[in-house]
Amino acid sequence: MIQDIINTDYFILILALFFIIGVVTTKFSSRFGVPALILFIVLGMVAGSDGLGLIYFDNASYAQVIGIFALVVILFEGGLSTKWSTIKPVAVPSLLLATVGVLVTSFTVAVVATFLLGVTWLEGLLFGAIVGSTDAAAVFAALKGQNIKARLGATLEAESGTNDPMAMFLTLALIQLITIEETNILHTIGTFFLQMGLGLIFGLALGWIASWVINRINLDSGGLYPIIAMGFALMTYSVTASLGGSGLLAVYVAALYIGNSELTYRHTIFRFNEGFAWMMQLLMFVILGLLVFPAQLFTFEVILHGLILSFVLILIARPLAVLLSTIGFKYSWKEKTLISWAGLRGAVPIVLATFPMIAGLENAQLFFNVVFFVVLTSALIQGSTISPFANKLGLTGPKKVTPLHSLELVSIGQANAEMVEYVVNEETAIIGKNLAEIEFPPDVLINAIIRDGELVTPYGETIIEQNDILYILVSRKSKKQLTILLGERESVPEK
């Protein structure tokens, strides 16, 4: 009994240290330009049995479960924070990158992997499929707060949010082809379209249901709204996956629908999911770091194979995939170059590399180690240079301004009131007017204005200027009137 308590206390202490050290490392990550995922993985490797020996972990099945759960949370947060108006113009090329691009990347890498690793063609294709998709967690984290042009950022985020289902399908299909001789290829192709179709349908349907429920249920605490939103995210994945659809695609589509809908307690939901996504990134990368053994990873064979395959992936396969997927679309050569360079690999390939281990394939451990090294190389080289590279190419835009969001005062069940923070832009209808001539609804009040970092006390003759930050107290029933008055639909916080 006493020993169980000691073990529990030890586990909680280690978990606490992981969270504290992980958060602190993000500060070094942003300061030195090193992707946070690298530091999280290193933290796991240091704490593992080949490092300090704090935790022994070698269960690929547990790592896979944690990884998929984390991907659901990360994709949900990414979808919530994506503006449909931004990605709509790039939806087609993004989807081509997420499908055709993954196929081209996978096949190109497979050709080299087959001969380099001395495996069969099917196993080579399996390796290519595992590293074929960009990683949503890595891309979202790398672009967060960056001033890369909105069109390019939208392309990369939409691609990374929708190409994980393609990579997972290819990985599972190839494992089935390797392990089950009588697998029907035509049936497999039909299954792909079924999975994607169901993922899209269930994502839209459950996204609509989630939005409807969140806006109409009166809960006693505002802190419960993010919980119910996350519940819908997990339910979307599980229901869709259990019925034969792509759960990951459904989650991203549902989040995109929810995030672009009129949503009560929007800011609370977004901030919770942002923090939860960071926590799951930390947990996922640390677990994956624990799963790898540095003594097996940093061998001459793995390093050599990893470097060659990284070179092929970064400088040949990815550019070729971008070139073929963007034919006919108005991307300049500089933009295509940046899209190619920003094709980060992260947790998804490592999680997918656990599937062959669980299936008991002969070269599963070799694949896992080489994939792990490829991910480290991609994240370290590409992830740390995206922003400087974009500056060098002249593809950075103006500094991002924090858009509209709500700071809920109290529970809707108690007061039906919200404090809205709104950034005035050139499209705002009330710009250039003074407060006295603006016909606000009777239960709307501007409490404060922040202008050039200074507090301005509002009164009747105060003129609204561009880039003013308005703090507006509004009742729930008048919120829609307020958004119409401001001249634009309430938008989602931009990454």
Side-chain angles (χ1 to χ4, degrees):
M1 176 68 177
I2 299 298
Q3 186 61 43
D4 290 340
I5 294 175
I6 293 174
N7 290 337
T8 300
D9 294 342
Y10 174 78
F11 173 77
I12 293 174
L13 174 62
I14 295 298
L15 190 62
L17 291 174
F18 276 156
F19 284 144
I20 294 171
I21 296 173
V23 170
V24 172
T25 58
T26 62
K27 189 69 176 178
F28 292 99
S29 169
S30 58
R31 177 170 297 181
F32 298 110
V34 179
L37 71 90
I38 289 288
L39 301 178
F40 294 161
I41 287 175
V42 170
L43 180 61
M45 293 169 67
V46 170
S49 55
D50 276 2
L52 299 177
L54 299 177
I55 299 176
Y56 180 85
F57 182 80
D58 65 350
N59 194 310
S61 297
Y62 288 165
Q64 185 184 108
V65 171
I66 294 171
I68 292 177
F69 179 85
L71 288 176
V72 170
V73 175
I74 293 165
L75 282 173
F76 187 66
E77 192 271 335
L80 284 178
S81 302
T82 300
K83 296 173 67 175
W84 172 245
S85 59
T86 303
I87 69 168
K88 184 179 178 180
V90 298
V92 175
S94 297
L95 288 175
L96 287 175
L97 283 167
T99 50
V100 175
V102 171
L103 286 172
V104 172
T105 302
S106 300
F107 182 77
T108 306
V109 173
V111 172
V112 179
T114 299
F115 294 100
L116 184 65
L117 302 179
V119 296
T120 65
W121 273 106
L122 281 179
E123 289 176 316
L125 288 170
L126 174 60
F127 183 92
I130 291 172
V131 298
S133 71
T134 60
D135 184 71
V139 172
F140 291 157
L143 297 181
K144 188 180 289 292
Q146 302 296 332
N147 61 336
I148 293 172
K149 286 188 175 180
R151 180 168 177 257
L152 296 180
T155 301
L156 291 167
E157 291 190 2
E159 176 202 4
S160 64
T162 54
N163 67 4
D164 292 344
M166 182 69 173
M168 180 173 285
F169 170 81
L170 288 175
T171 300
L172 293 174
L174 285 163
I175 290 175
Q176 189 174 24
L177 285 170
I178 293 170
T179 56
I180 304 175
E181 294 182 0
E182 61 271 17
T183 300
N184 189 307
I185 296 179
L186 291 178
H187 175 74
T188 301
I189 295 173
T191 301
F192 167 75
F193 288 103
L194 177 64
Q195 285 189 9
M196 299 304 121
L198 290 177
L200 180 62
I201 293 170
F202 281 111
L204 289 172
L206 291 171
W208 180 85
I209 293 172
S211 301
W212 188 87
V213 171
I214 291 170
N215 285 328
R216 283 162 179 77
I217 190 172
N218 285 334
L219 301 175
D220 293 333
S221 171
L224 295 175
Y225 286 87
I227 305 298
I228 195 171
M230 180 51 61
F232 272 107
L234 298 173
M235 185 177 71
T236 298
Y237 174 83
S238 58
V239 168
T240 306
S242 63
L243 293 177
S246 173
L248 295 178
L249 178 61
V251 168
Y252 185 75
V253 171
L256 195 62
Y257 186 97
I258 295 169
N260 285 273
S261 302
E262 290 287 343
L263 201 64
T264 190
Y265 275 80
R266 171 185 294 275
H267 184 57
T268 301
I269 293 172
F270 281 23
R271 294 288 75 81
F272 171 87
N273 279 282
E274 182 180 24
F276 195 26
W278 269 109
M279 185 175 74
M280 293 313 300
Q281 281 190 57
L282 169 59
L283 180 61
M284 175 173 60
F285 288 126
V286 168
I287 290 293
L288 294 176
L290 289 171
L291 187 62
V292 71
F293 290 84
Q296 299 176 10
L297 179 67
F298 298 110
T299 63
F300 176 78
E301 182 184 23
V302 171
I303 293 175
L304 179 61
H305 291 166
L307 287 175
I308 294 174
L309 289 168
S310 295
F311 173 84
V312 172
L313 176 63
I314 296 172
L315 299 180
I316 300 175
R318 172 66 178 178
L320 181 60
V322 171
L323 183 64
L324 293 177
S325 300
T326 56
I327 292 176
F329 298 97
K330 296 180 180 180
Y331 289 96
S332 67
W333 283 105
K334 287 185 177 181
E335 290 175 329
K336 291 179 181 180
T337 301
L338 183 62
I339 293 173
S340 299
W341 191 253
L344 295 178
R345 268 59 189 176
V348 172
I350 303 176
V351 172
L352 292 180
T354 63
F355 284 83
M357 298 175 70
I358 295 172
L361 297 188
E362 180 182 356
N363 295 300
Q365 190 61 53
L366 172 63
F367 280 16
F368 182 85
N369 290 333
V370 176
V371 166
F372 202 101
F373 192 87
V374 168
V375 168
L376 289 178
T377 306
S378 171
L380 192 58
I381 295 176
Q382 295 173 280
S384 59
T385 56
I386 288 179
S387 188
F389 195 39
N391 281 323
K392 190 74 174 177
L393 293 172
L395 296 175
T396 54
K399 185 178 180 180
K400 292 181 178 179
V401 179
T402 304
L404 178 72
H405 62 263
S406 300
L407 303 174
E408 292 82 6
L409 296 178
V410 289
S411 170
I412 284 181
Q414 299 169 357
N416 278 337
E418 297 179 16
M419 181 71 77
V420 171
E421 181 185 70
Y422 179 76
V423 179
V424 178
N425 58 59
E426 65 274 7
E427 297 179 357
T428 303
I430 63 174
I431 192 170
K433 298 181 179 180
N434 63 45
L435 295 180
E437 64 180 310
I438 300 173
E439 297 182 359
F440 287 109
D443 45 4
V444 171
L445 177 66
I446 295 185
N447 292 73
I449 300 175
I450 303 297
R451 180 176 296 161
D452 298 325
E454 301 290 333
L455 174 64
V456 176
T457 303
Y459 61 97
E461 299 303 316
T462 302
I463 296 176
I464 303 298
E465 299 180 5
Q466 186 171 336
N467 295 328
D468 281 353
I469 302 176
L470 310 180
Y471 288 89
I472 311 170
L473 181 64
V474 56
S475 68
R476 182 182 179 187
K477 65 180 181 180
S478 297
K479 192 174 179 183
K480 187 172 183 179
Q481 291 176 263
L482 175 63
T483 58
I484 295 173
L485 177 66
L486 293 174
E488 57 180 13
R489 187 179 65 82
E490 184 177 2
S491 58
V492 182
E494 189 175 348
K495 295 175 86 75

